[in-house]
């Protein structure tokens, strides 16, 4: 099984500031996909952003962007202009491009946004 | 659109009891899966199915059974509940969009085993 590691159990950020959540993964594959999911208190899992391993360019979705370092097996999430609604648990996830549909999740980072 | 529907939302069991967590999707997705979420552990895959009649084990399958008789339904059975199975359970379905797999989650079932 693949290993996804999130070393920050909790993070906090001032409203309107920028925060970066870390994620590393372990794989011997070259074809894979990486994701960040957000889980607010409602428990709903919401896709934030995704990245294909073979693409050099970092993915961006509005205020959310990633720093994908393939050689270092690192996939961090940057949230700019943080809003109160960004407060949630964030999960990093990995999916193999070869073996199909299985997703492997990290242990999560709980983000608090301070007004 | 209903999406992925899980029932019940909450359940309390006594050790040794059996029960079935229901999961249904109305999007005609071939792939469905069950995860459990525990504090400090993230989401771990229990079982998955790539289509009706086909199931396979994930990372933590012990103590759970699944079946997939239809595309829509993917129930998770606990044969003899144990306190270690206290967790939040998520069902998910997905489909392929080009090279991407789009994952849709249910709203979860909070299970407590006393």
């Amino acid at each position: 099984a693949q290993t996804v590691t999130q070393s920050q159990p909790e993070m906090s950020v001032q409203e309107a500031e920028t925060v970066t959540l870390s994620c590393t993964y372990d794989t011997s594959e070259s074809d894979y996909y990486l994701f960040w999911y957000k889980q607010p208190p409602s428990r709903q899992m919401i896709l934030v952003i995704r990245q294909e391993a073979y693409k050099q360019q970092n993915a961006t979705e509005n205020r959310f962007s990633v720093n994908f370092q393939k050689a270092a097996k690192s996939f961090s999430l940057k949230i700019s202009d943080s809003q109160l609604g960004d407060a949630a648990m964030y999960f990093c996830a990995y999916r193999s491009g070869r073996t199909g549909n299985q997703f492997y999740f990290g242990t999560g980072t709980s983000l608090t946004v301070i007004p | 659109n209903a999406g992925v529907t899980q029932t019940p939302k909450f359940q309390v069991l006594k050790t040794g009891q059996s029960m079935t967590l229901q999961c249904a999707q109305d999007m005609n997705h071939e792939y469905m899966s069950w995860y459990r979420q525990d504090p400090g552990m993230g989401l771990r895959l229990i079982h998955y199915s790539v289509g009706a009649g086909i199931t396979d084990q994930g990372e933590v399958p012990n103590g759970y059974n699944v079946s997939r008789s239809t595309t829509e339904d993917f129930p998770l059975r606990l044969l003899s509940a144990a306190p270690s199975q206290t967790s939040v359970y998520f069902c998910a379905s997905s489909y392929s969009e080009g090279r991407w797999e789009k994952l849709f989650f249910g709203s979860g079932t909070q299970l407590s085993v006393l």
Side-chain angles (χ1 to χ4, degrees):
Chain A
Q2 312 303 331
T3 303
V4 179
T5 301
Q6 293 179 250
S7 59
Q8 306 155 316
E10 296 177 345
M11 292 283 285
S12 61
V13 62
Q14 291 285 143
E15 196 175 2
E17 296 295 311
T18 296
V19 65
T20 299
L21 308 184
S22 301
C23 173
T24 59
Y25 56 94
D26 183 27
T27 186
S28 58
E29 299 176 331
S30 57
D31 183 15
Y32 54 88
Y33 303 82
L34 297 165
F35 306 81
W36 279 97
Y37 280 89
K38 171 185 176 181
Q39 186 183 44
S42 66
R43 281 201 322 231
Q44 192 68 31
M45 293 288 284
I46 302 164
L47 177 64
V48 175
I49 199 166
R50 60 190 186 184
Q51 173 85 39
E52 293 179 80
Y54 74 89
K55 283 194 173 177
Q56 299 275 4
Q57 188 173 8
N58 290 327
T60 300
E61 290 285 344
N62 301 315
R63 297 183 295 107
F64 299 88
S65 61
V66 298
N67 183 6
F68 174 46
Q69 301 289 329
K70 190 170 184 178
K73 298 179 183 175
S74 170
F75 183 61
S76 60
L77 175 70
K78 185 171 83 170
I79 306 174
S80 304
D81 185 25
S82 297
Q83 300 175 0
L84 296 177
D86 294 333
M89 183 73 83
Y90 286 82
F91 292 98
C92 179
Y94 171 103
R95 180 179 81 82
S96 168
R98 181 179 57 84
T99 56
N101 316 84
Q102 295 185 55
F103 285 71
Y104 296 91
F105 288 83
T107 52
T109 297
S110 178
L111 178 67
T112 300
V113 180
I114 303 166
Chain B
N1 292 334
V4 179
T5 303
Q6 284 184 241
T7 55
K9 293 192 183 304
F10 301 93
Q11 182 71 49
V12 179
L13 293 177
K14 294 181 180 179
T15 297
Q17 286 186 312
S18 63
M19 81 157 294
T20 299
L21 306 186
Q22 301 291 346
C23 176
Q25 52 95 4
D26 60 357
M27 297 172 282
N28 202 33
H29 292 169
E30 290 297 322
Y31 181 80
M32 297 185 74
S33 52
W34 276 102
Y35 292 86
R36 60 177 288 174
Q37 182 180 13
D38 302 293
M41 302 290 288
L43 280 79
R44 292 180 292 168
L45 183 64
I46 304 171
H47 284 285
Y48 66 96
S49 169
V50 298
I54 306 169
T55 64
D56 207 345
Q57 296 180 350
E59 297 174 76
V60 288
N62 292 340
Y64 308 95
N65 277 357
V66 293
S67 60
R68 186 93 179 271
S69 56
T70 67
T71 299
E72 294 78 20
D73 300 300
F74 190 44
L76 178 72
R77 279 181 284 277
L78 283 72
L79 300 177
S80 178
S84 61
Q85 294 178 304
T86 294
S87 188
V88 179
Y89 291 84
F90 286 94
C91 179
S93 72
S94 67
Y95 76 98
S96 295
E97 184 181 70
R99 284 174 58 84
W100 287 106
E101 198 72 22
K102 297 199 74 173
L103 199 62
F104 295 80
F105 284 91
S107 56
T109 296
Q110 173 107 45
L111 175 68
S112 295
V113 183
L114 306 178

